[in-house]
Amino acid sequence: MIKVATDDIKAISKYILDISGIDLNEGKAYLIETRLGGLIKEYECSSYRDLCSKAKTDSNKSIENKIIDAISTNETLFFRDSGPFEVLQHKILPDLIDRRTEKSSGLLPIPIRIWSTACSTGQEVYSIAIVLKELLPDLNKYNIKLLGTDISDSAIKQASYGTYNKFEIERGLSKEKLQKYFIPNGGNWKISDELRAMVSFTKRNILESFMGLGKLDIIFCRNVAIYFDLEERKKLFENIASVLEPDGFLIIGSTESLTGICPIFEPKRYLKTIYYQLR
Amino acid sequence: MKQLRILAVDDDPFTLKMLDKKLVKEGYDIETASDGVEAIKLISQKFYDIIITDLVMPGGVDGIDVLEAAKTQNKQTEVILLTAHASVENAVEAMRKGAFDYLQKPVNFYELTLRMEKIRDYKKMFKNAQDLREAMDVTEQNAAQTIQLLEMNVAELNNVVSEIRRVIMNQSIDPNKCVARVLDIVSS
């Protein structure tokens, strides 16, 4: 594997920060070699700096997209941590539906808008869809918009296909849910059409403008901000606050905290899990 | 890593005997079954790390059936199929159904042991990944408990501080009453 020159680490880290927001501080420089080593060969570059230069001048951004795919971590599984999905099912959705029903004229379906900010290959979004389906058997009474976004092209593509291999399917899904919501597809499993139809996926870098998103009722932003520096985190959660309905809900990763990052949010506890609402 | 448990299945006694002899010599823990029916019975009774099975066997239970039974019983079992009728379709079907690999008869034992070493490496890596995930889960759960407790405590303390600040800044309150109120807030 080609070694990264010490002098180049700063420039490459800066480039990665610019295109993805991912903060490769000095301790993580090894990620440059392990994750971008393959691209050096693919694009016949003499060094990592050379790879970045090629990416910058590549007009269709295919090298940049490949760098983002390689550097971003797609660790995800169905019903990761379980707590957030229990809160969603037993606290957040019932509360939200009660309030929205009070406000509703009864003529139009009740809107529920949920956003998974870094949905990776789709497991979180489909877990949310399963919770919605189990809680609300009559989905037609609601106008559900479930949006999954991610910075990685290839992750969004897989999420959109909704197809998972045996390793992915074994992580977090009970046999009962697998049989109920997935269809065997070759050696893989594909999400049912009904659940797939509830979701839309788009590529989006959440450190860029939130234009066009509209207002959201529930936002999942779990284990994403951990890759950003403090300033980026502050900006991100302020932006999230600006698109969240005043009575909306935010869920972050189980080991994350908003203390010192975004005082607009107030932590609340339900069973063993914390969720946030605007003060 | 402990020794791999192997089940060899073939209706041809000569191949079965050769497999048994060679693999015992290589140090593997091996059992044999002379047809698919016997294999499926054994699979339902105990776990095998690797099953080496002939593809075409008499008695209504062929290698694909053995593969499917093994995978249903335990996904960790890896299956190598042997066939005298090498055809791409059979190989593709077997691989799609989860076979680890496919070998043509007559069996080249060097090739077979190479495949088995590959399975051993693969299983080791799989176990490492599982161990890492479990370690990560435990660490994450512990960290989550601590962080969430701190998060709630800090929020509560912030509320107390804001309340105290509000009382102190309120100049219409008599200073003595102010102290009493602050003490009330702190002790509540």
Side-chain angles (χ1 to χ4, degrees):
Chain A
M1 188 178 290
I2 296 177
K3 290 266 169 206
V4 58
T6 319
D7 295 348
D8 289 353
I9 293 177
K10 241 187 188 163
I12 297 156
S13 302
K14 167 82 172 54
Y15 171 70
I16 287 168
L17 185 71
D18 289 344
I19 59 168
S20 67
I22 295 168
D23 180 23
L24 292 183
N25 52 41
E26 280 169 29
K28 289 183 194 159
Y30 67 92
L31 282 176
I32 296 174
E33 287 168 9
T34 54
R35 299 205 177 183
L36 302 184
L39 292 177
I40 289 256
K41 278 190 195 149
E42 190 179 335
Y43 290 101
E44 295 170 350
C45 301
S46 56
S47 69
Y48 292 89
R49 189 186 275 266
D50 184 24
L51 177 70
C52 293
S53 311
K54 275 200 175 135
K56 281 179 198 167
T57 52
D58 171 27
S59 57
N60 68 16
K61 293 201 168 190
S62 67
I63 306 180
E64 184 181 297
N65 284 337
K66 283 197 178 174
I67 292 177
I68 291 173
D69 282 352
I71 211 79
S72 51
T73 301
N74 287 330
E75 168 64 9
T76 182
L77 59 148
F78 291 99
F79 294 96
R80 181 172 182 181
D81 299 337
S82 73
F85 300 96
E86 284 160 20
V87 177
L88 182 69
Q89 182 159 0
H90 301 296
K91 172 75 187 162
I92 294 179
L93 284 169
D95 276 13
L96 195 73
I97 288 165
D98 276 354
R99 274 202 303 272
R100 296 290 185 270
T101 311
E102 274 169 29
K103 280 189 204 165
S104 137
S105 61
L107 295 172
L108 293 171
I110 297 164
I112 302 174
R113 292 147 304 170
I114 306 176
W115 178 28
S116 165
T117 55
C119 68
S120 187
T121 40
Q123 283 87 332
E124 180 176 82
V125 185
Y126 291 127
S127 302
I128 298 170
I130 291 172
V131 167
L132 284 164
K133 178 71 188 158
E134 300 212 325
L135 184 71
L136 314 168
D138 190 5
L139 284 171
N140 292 334
K141 279 167 66 183
Y142 305 89
N143 173 13
I144 294 171
K145 285 208 175 97
L146 189 45
L147 172 68
T149 62
D150 200 273
I151 193 172
S152 161
D153 253 345
S154 59
I156 281 291
K157 264 186 205 143
Q158 195 195 327
S160 193
Y161 290 138
T163 303
Y164 300 94
N165 66 30
K166 61 173 182 169
F167 298 110
E168 292 162 329
I169 220 76
E170 271 170 23
R171 298 186 68 198
L173 266 189
S174 65
K175 265 195 179 152
E176 186 225 333
K177 285 196 172 84
L178 177 64
Q179 301 293 346
K180 218 166 156 185
Y181 302 114
F182 290 81
I183 303 145
N185 183 356
N188 298 326
W189 293 82
K190 194 170 182 2
I191 191 82
S192 75
D193 289 345
E194 190 188 12
L195 294 193
R196 177 62 191 85
M198 288 165 70
V199 187
S200 59
F201 291 101
T202 327
K203 181 182 167 172
R204 181 184 276 271
N205 178 354
I206 51 167
L207 294 179
E208 288 170 4
S209 156
F210 280 15
M211 278 261 289
L213 270 173
K215 285 276 180 181
L216 283 310
D217 297 303
I218 305 166
I219 298 176
F220 279 73
C221 187
R222 302 161 67 211
N223 308 309
V224 191
I226 49 174
Y227 298 103
F228 305 151
D229 69 17
L230 190 62
E231 285 313 306
E232 297 286 13
R233 279 184 219 187
K234 285 182 177 171
K235 202 172 88 188
L236 170 65
F237 286 107
E238 274 163 23
N239 283 341
I240 284 178
S242 73
V243 292
L244 191 65
E245 285 285 359
D247 60 353
F249 298 83
L250 166 68
I251 293 184
I252 64 171
S254 66
T255 55
E256 295 179 88
S257 156
L258 292 186
T259 297
I261 291 176
C262 196
I264 323 166
F265 283 107
E266 182 182 4
K268 293 181 180 175
R269 188 193 277 275
Y270 177 79
L271 300 177
K272 284 181 177 168
T273 305
I274 289 182
Y275 60 92
Y276 294 81
Q277 286 198 283
L278 294 166
R279 284 185 199 276
Chain B
M1 198 173 168
K2 62 180 187 308
Q3 203 180 14
L4 295 178
R5 276 154 299 193
I6 319 286
L7 176 65
V9 192
D10 203 315
D11 60 304
D12 168 22
F14 175 73
T15 309
L16 202 58
K17 205 171 173 188
M18 285 300 283
L19 278 171
D20 189 29
K21 209 173 138 190
K22 298 260 186 181
L23 292 175
V24 165
K25 208 172 151 195
E26 292 285 329
Y28 287 102
D29 173 10
I30 179 168
E31 284 178 46
T32 57
S34 55
D35 59 32
V37 180
E38 192 188 346
I40 286 182
K41 202 174 154 198
L42 286 170
I43 292 165
S44 69
Q45 288 163 357
K46 58 170 121 170
F47 172 75
Y48 296 97
D49 293 288
I50 304 174
I51 296 175
I52 304 163
T53 178
D54 191 14
L55 185 63
V56 183
M57 288 183 290
V61 179
D62 66 8
I64 299 275
D65 297 324
V66 171
L67 163 71
E68 283 177 343
K71 287 289 176 188
T72 310
Q73 194 71 24
N74 195 321
K75 287 198 174 69
Q76 309 296 328
T77 299
E78 298 301 342
V79 178
I80 298 175
L81 282 143
L82 310 174
T83 181
H85 310 275
S87 74
V88 175
E89 294 96 280
N90 286 347
V92 170
E93 192 194 349
M95 298 301 280
R96 190 175 283 150
K97 289 189 166 157
F100 187 88
D101 219 330
Y102 196 78
L103 286 177
Q104 286 184 32
K105 275 180 163 183
V107 179
N108 175 332
F109 283 94
Y110 177 65
E111 222 177 314
L112 178 65
T113 47
L114 272 183
R115 298 288 196 286
M116 301 199 20
E117 278 162 26
K118 221 168 148 189
I119 293 179
R120 185 197 298 269
D121 291 346
Y122 168 80
K123 280 177 177 285
K124 261 189 199 166
M125 267 167 36
F126 189 80
K127 188 172 182 311
N128 276 348
Q130 255 181 341
D131 287 353
L132 274 174
R133 265 180 200 150
E134 274 162 29
M136 192 182 83
D137 282 350
V138 172
T139 314
E140 203 169 278
Q141 276 169 24
N142 280 320
Q145 272 180 16
T146 312
I147 290 165
Q148 292 180 4
L149 189 72
L150 287 172
E151 189 84 330
M152 293 311 285
N153 284 350
V154 169
E156 210 172 287
L157 289 174
N158 275 341
N159 287 341
V160 171
V161 171
S162 309
E163 188 61 14
I164 293 173
R165 191 174 287 139
R166 196 183 58 80
V167 171
I168 293 173
M169 301 299 264
N170 188 343
Q171 292 178 347
S172 65
I173 303 175
D174 171 71
N176 290 327
K177 280 188 181 165
C178 179
V179 172
R181 266 202 207 174
V182 167
L183 287 174
D184 266 357
I185 294 167
V186 172
S187 60
S188 67

